[in-house]
Amino acid sequence: MKNPVSIATENFVKTVYQFDQKKGYDTRPGSIARELGISNAAATDMARKLARKELIEYKKYKELRLTPAGRSMALAVIRKHRLWETFLHQVFGLGMHEIHREAELLEHLTSDFLADRISHFLGHPTTDPHGDPIPDPTGELPDAPGAVLLSQAPAGLKYRVSRLSGSEKEFFDFCQARGLALGTVLRVKNQFRNPRMTEVEMEGTVLLLHAGLAQTLHVRPATGPAYDPATYVNEPQP
Amino acid sequence: MKNPVSIATENFVKTVYQFDQKKGYDTRPGSIARELGISNAAATDMARKLARKELIEYKKYKELRLTPAGRSMALAVIRKHRLWETFLHQVFGLGMHEIHREAELLEHLTSDFLADRISHFLGHPTTDPHGDPIPDPTGELPDAPGAVLLSQAPAGLKYRVSRLSGSEKEFFDFCQARGLALGTVLRVKNQFRNPRMTEVEMEGTVLLLHAGLAQTLHVRPATGPAYDPATYVNEPQP
DNA sequence: ATTGTTTTTTAAGCATACTTAAATTTTATT
DNA sequence: AATAAAATTTAAGTATGCTTAAAAAACAAT
Ligand SMILES: [Mn+2]
Ligand SMILES: [Mn+2]
Ligand SMILES: [Mn+2]
Ligand SMILES: [Mn+2]
C-alpha cells in the first residue's frame, strides 16, 4: 500500500525545500537541476512525477512549490541529516568538511526509529555543528530568532556567528584560521557594494570578506552575554 | 569511469556469498530470489547482469559462483553490516532483533572511510553481537576455529555458545529467557532424528530444541577456561 | 515591438530493477 | 524410460531516473 520513497525523490524534495527558504535562491527546475547535478529535463520530469504523488505543486514555467506532504518529507530528511552530522562530529570526531558528505548518504537509509535513538543519545540537540536547527520528530523547526546572513547584516553593530553553512574543507580551514567559529563575536564595519564585500572586525583583526563567503555565515545581534551555553548544545567536545 | 554499485547489487552479491558458505544452502537463483523477496526471473536476470560485470560466474542452470571481485564486494558489505550491528548494540543499546534490520540498510551507504572510523571507535572488534566474525578492511575473515551448528554438535560433549545467528525478536527473547547467550556453556545430551531435535543441559536445566532453532546457534567445544574476554570483545557493555 | 538569449518543456532513448506468463530444462517419481 | 513436478530461463512489459536534442515559452535588451 505505502510505496517506498527513493533516494532521488528525497534529495529532490529536500533541495526544493532548502532553495525555497534560502534568500537569493529560487525553486525553478534549472536551479534544482544544477544543485543535484542532473539535466534540466530530468528535473522537470521529476517535478511532474512528484506532482502526481502530491509532493510538489507543479505548474509549467512556474517555480516549484512543496505540498504539506512534501514539506514534511523534506523536514524528516533534514532532521536525519543534521542528527548524523552532529553525531559524526561529536562522537567520531569527523571534520566539518567530512560530516556533510557522509550525512548526505546516511540521511536516506535511516529509520525514524533510529533517528530518535541518535537524538536521544545526543541529548536531543536543537542545532547541528553548522548551527543549523534540527527539526523535531514532528517536523517543527526551532527557529533561530534574528539571524541574518553576514553579508546582509547592517554595518556598525556587533554580532555573534550563529551558522557556518559551508561544506568545503577550504571554507572551514579558512574560518578556523581566522577565528570564525560558532559563537564568535564580531563587528561589521562596512558593507561594500561593487564588488560586494563585508568588512568585519574581531579582537583587533580586520577581515574583508567577499560576498560568496559572507553569504555562508549567519550572525545574530550580540546583545546578550558573551556566551550562552543553552544556545550551543551542539558545540563539539574537543 | 568507475560506476556506482546499486543497493540491489550489493544485497545480491552478499546473499550469494552467505548462501555459498552456509551448509544446507545453495546458490541457485531460486534460493537467492526467495531470500531477497524477488521473483526467480529477476534473480536470473540479475545474475546475468552481474556476470557481465565480472562479479558472478554464471552458467545456465548451474549454481551461482562469485568471482574474486564479487567476493571482495560481499565481504566489504558484510564488514559494514557487522560493524553497524556492533555499534548499534553497544552504543545505542538497540535490541538484538533491531540491529539487523537497521544494519541491512546502513551497510549500503557507508563509505570505507566511515566504516574504519566505526571500527576504530569500537576498538577494532573481531566479532559482532551475534558472534559472527567481522572482516577486516582488506576482506580477511578472522575464522572461528572449531565452531559448528548446535544441531550438528556430537552429543556427550560440553560446548560454549559462539554465535546467535537469528534476526527475529522471538528468537532472542527465547534465548534470553533460557539463558542462551554468547559464552554460555552447555552440554549436548542427545541429537534426535525424526523429528530432528537437540537436547542440551545447562546448569541443571534441560532444553529440547527443534532443528530450526538449533541451526541458528553455533557452538565451540568448551575446552578452555570458563570465559575468555579476548574472544568476546563484542559483548555489550550493560 | 522585434530580436536574441535563456530556460523550460517535450520527445526519444537507455540502464536498472523489478513483474507475470510462457517456454525450456532439470530433477524426481513411477 | 517415460512421465510428472519443479526450477530456470526467456520474453514482454512497467516504473524509475537519468541522458541528449529539438521545440516552445519566457525573459531581456535594444
Ligand atoms: Mn549538511
Ligand atoms: Mn542526500
Ligand atoms: Mn545481521
Ligand atoms: Mn542490505
Side-chain angles (χ1 to χ4, degrees):
Chain A
M1 279 289 116
K2 65 152 184 298
N3 52 336
V5 175
S6 72
I7 292 175
T9 292
E10 288 192 344
N11 278 330
F12 195 92
V13 165
K14 188 180 76 157
T15 303
V16 172
Y17 177 85
Q18 287 178 323
F19 278 30
D20 193 32
Q21 304 291 102
K22 232 189 269 190
K23 68 238 111 306
Y25 288 74
D26 63 80
T27 60
R28 291 176 308 173
S31 308
I32 309 298
R34 196 174 324 110
E35 171 74 8
L36 295 176
I38 61 179
S39 68
N40 278 10
T44 298
D45 208 54
M46 191 63 152
R48 292 210 297 113
K49 280 185 217 153
L50 297 186
R52 275 199 293 116
K53 296 182 183 163
E54 318 243 7
L55 293 169
I56 281 185
E57 285 174 35
Y58 175 68
K59 277 187 289 202
K60 290 211 286 190
Y61 302 106
K62 292 287 192 290
E63 289 200 27
L64 306 180
R65 302 238 345 266
L66 292 179
T67 64
R71 194 162 14 258
S72 161
M73 177 182 295
L75 283 162
V77 176
I78 290 169
R79 169 173 163 80
K80 288 163 188 175
H81 181 100
R82 293 181 180 166
L83 283 171
W84 274 120
E85 286 191 339
T86 306
F87 175 85
L88 294 173
H89 188 56
Q90 288 187 14
V91 181
F92 286 170
L94 296 210
M96 294 290 278
H97 64 292
E98 295 166 328
I99 59 179
H100 181 78
R101 181 188 66 207
E102 304 292 337
E104 197 56 54
L105 300 177
L106 293 172
E107 62 185 1
H108 305 293
L109 292 183
T110 301
S111 66
D112 293 345
F113 167 81
L114 181 56
D116 290 344
R117 290 307 197 103
I118 300 170
S119 180
H120 173 78
F121 180 82
L122 296 171
H124 300 296
T126 57
T127 64
D128 74 11
H130 303 91
D132 298 329
I134 299 175
D136 76 16
T138 71
E140 287 302 308
L141 260 183
D143 48 20
V148 291
L149 293 181
L150 175 54
S151 60
Q152 316 247 298
L157 302 175
K158 275 193 156 184
Y159 299 91
R160 185 170 293 125
V161 174
S162 66
R163 283 170 78 164
L164 300 170
S165 299
S167 60
E168 304 290 313
K169 183 173 190 322
E170 289 68 30
F171 171 76
F172 294 111
D173 285 350
F174 174 86
C175 289
Q176 183 153 45
R178 305 301 173 134
L180 288 166
L182 283 189
T184 296
V185 173
L186 53 80
R187 202 174 70 84
V188 173
K189 289 186 69 173
N190 281 296
Q191 291 286 11
F192 297 106
R193 316 207 139 263
N194 215 334
R196 290 188 52 90
M197 295 201 289
T198 302
E199 189 180 25
V200 303
E201 177 181 35
M202 3 171 336
E203 301 192 354
T205 322
V206 171
L207 293 177
L208 198 53
L209 307 170
H210 67 276
L213 212 151
Q215 273 165 14
T216 54
L217 293 168
H218 293 227
V219 297
R220 279 190 291 183
T223 51
Y227 183 79
D228 175 15
T231 313
Y232 299 103
V233 297
N234 284 319
E235 285 281 84
Q237 336 286 307
Chain B
M1 280 286 116
K2 66 153 182 300
N3 53 336
V5 175
S6 72
I7 292 176
T9 293
E10 288 193 344
N11 278 330
F12 195 93
V13 164
K14 188 181 77 157
T15 303
V16 171
Y17 176 84
Q18 287 177 324
F19 277 29
D20 192 33
Q21 304 291 103
K22 234 190 266 189
K23 65 240 114 309
Y25 287 74
D26 63 80
T27 60
R28 291 175 311 174
S31 307
I32 309 298
R34 195 173 325 110
E35 171 74 8
L36 295 177
I38 61 179
S39 68
N40 278 10
T44 298
D45 209 54
M46 192 61 153
R48 291 210 297 115
K49 280 185 220 152
L50 298 186
R52 275 199 293 117
K53 296 181 183 164
E54 318 244 8
L55 292 169
I56 281 186
E57 285 175 35
Y58 175 68
K59 278 188 288 202
K60 291 211 286 191
Y61 301 107
K62 292 286 194 283
E63 289 200 27
L64 306 180
R65 303 238 345 266
L66 292 179
T67 64
R71 193 163 12 258
S72 162
M73 178 183 294
L75 283 162
V77 176
I78 290 169
R79 169 174 163 79
K80 288 164 188 175
H81 181 100
R82 292 182 181 165
L83 283 171
W84 273 120
E85 285 191 340
T86 306
F87 174 85
L88 294 173
H89 188 56
Q90 287 187 14
V91 181
F92 287 168
L94 295 210
M96 293 291 277
H97 64 291
E98 295 165 328
I99 59 179
H100 181 80
R101 182 188 66 207
E102 304 292 338
E104 197 56 55
L105 300 176
L106 294 172
E107 62 186 0
H108 304 295
L109 291 184
T110 302
S111 64
D112 293 345
F113 166 80
L114 180 56
D116 290 344
R117 290 306 196 101
I118 300 170
S119 180
H120 177 257
F121 181 82
L122 296 170
H124 300 295
T126 58
T127 64
D128 74 11
H130 302 92
D132 298 328
I134 299 175
D136 75 17
T138 71
E140 287 301 308
L141 260 183
D143 48 19
V148 291
L149 292 181
L150 175 55
S151 60
Q152 317 245 300
L157 302 174
K158 274 194 157 184
Y159 299 92
R160 185 169 293 125
V161 175
S162 66
R163 284 170 79 164
L164 301 169
S165 298
S167 61
E168 304 290 313
K169 182 170 190 327
E170 289 68 30
F171 171 76
F172 294 110
D173 286 349
F174 174 87
C175 289
Q176 182 154 45
R178 303 302 171 133
L180 288 165
L182 283 189
T184 296
V185 173
L186 53 80
R187 202 174 69 84
V188 173
K189 288 186 70 173
N190 280 297
Q191 290 285 11
F192 297 107
R193 316 208 140 262
N194 215 332
R196 290 188 53 91
M197 293 202 289
T198 302
E199 189 180 24
V200 303
E201 178 181 33
M202 2 167 342
E203 300 194 354
T205 323
V206 171
L207 292 177
L208 198 52
L209 307 170
H210 67 275
L213 213 150
Q215 274 165 12
T216 52
L217 292 169
H218 293 228
V219 296
R220 279 191 290 183
T223 50
Y227 183 79
D228 174 16
T231 313
Y232 299 103
V233 295
N234 284 320
E235 285 280 81
Q237 336 284 308

